[in-house]
Amino acid sequence: MKYKAIIFDLDGVICHTDKYHYLAWKQVADRLGIYFDEEINNRLRGVSRMESLEIVLERCEKILSHEEKLSIADEKNEIYKNLLKDMSPADVSKEVMDTLTSLKNSGILLGIGSSSKNAKLILSKIGLQEFFDAISDGIGLAHSKPNPEVFVKCAQMLNIDPTDCLVIEDAIVGVQAAKAAKMDSVAVGDAAKQDIATYKMECFTELIALV
Ligand code: BG6
Ligand code: MG
């Protein structure tokens, strides 16, 4: 095998919680009278909650205090968590689940590298909290993607050299973070619109042939 470990981003790769991030930010932006659309939302992929808020606020005319910003971020997270509440193992497609199972059976290590502080909550809802060999998430993360920290931490947890890891990402900043961590990457979804990753993938099952 070409790699010893695969590190998956969560939102927009393993499950489609990216659509819930969009809906939650849209609701907050609408309440504040700020224009927000899916193109702006693509810039929030992979970046932390507070950095996402700063991007949303680029179109806000009012100057907000740090406390006001924290309160808006909390409001978004409450809406987001409410959208997550009915998630279940059925939210992982058959294609993703079959591919993950086949990779696991092949003996390659599998990790999660997500900027989200809700990553473990989501993984438990979709029944995958025990499935991965390491979970590196947004809790305690000093720098979010494109900084390599989240992936470097995951490689350390797996006890694997970064150059032996392959990252799967839907965020452009996530692909940049993988590169900064000296890891090869596979772009899916929004990130696959650009030629920055080592590979592009349209269908999850293609991963079996890449590793
Ligand atoms: C990433 C998402 O996975 O997590 C971003 O792509 C999001 O859009 C970030 O802002 C932080 O998520 P959370 O759940 O901690 O607010
Ligand atoms: Mg993502």
Side-chain angles (χ1 to χ4, degrees), residues 11 21 44-49 52 80 114-118:
D11 298 322
H21 277 295
L44 313 185
R45 290 180 190 272
V47 302
S48 69
R49 195 179 306 162
S52 295
Y80 178 62
S114 167
S115 309
S116 173
K117 292 187 162 82
N118 292 299

Side-chain angles (χ1 to χ4, degrees), residues 71-196:
S71 145
I72 296 170
D74 281 349
E75 175 188 349
K76 182 265 171 177
N77 196 45
E78 285 312 307
I79 299 168
Y80 178 62
K81 285 205 297 192
N82 202 38
L83 291 166
L84 299 178
K85 97 178 167 318
D86 295 329
M87 280 189 86
S88 74
D91 286 280
V92 183
S93 72
K94 184 176 180 319
E95 187 192 346
V96 169
M97 206 50 235
D98 288 352
T99 306
L100 288 175
T101 307
S102 154
L103 290 168
K104 198 176 176 72
N105 290 341
S106 76
I108 197 164
L109 293 176
L110 304 178
I112 290 286
S114 167
S115 309
S116 173
K117 292 187 162 82
N118 292 299
K120 286 185 180 153
L121 168 75
I122 295 165
L123 286 166
S124 76
K125 284 190 171 289
I126 60 178
L128 291 179
Q129 190 162 15
E130 303 301 321
F131 185 89
F132 291 93
D133 300 292
I135 299 169
S136 173
D137 65 11
I139 295 173
L141 200 65
H143 308 283
S144 100
K145 301 167 188 175
N147 187 288
E149 184 181 342
V150 72
F151 293 137
V152 171
K153 273 190 178 170
C154 193
Q156 281 167 355
M157 288 175 186
L158 293 167
N159 203 18
I160 297 286
D161 194 274
T163 54
D164 288 322
C165 297
L166 178 70
V167 166
I168 321 298
E169 262 292 349
D170 72 313
I172 290 165
V173 291
V175 172
Q176 291 166 339
K179 207 170 264 181
K182 300 190 169 50
M183 298 176 182
D184 281 355
S185 57
V186 183
V188 299
D190 188 58
K193 291 179 197 155
Q194 290 192 20
D195 283 320
I196 48 167

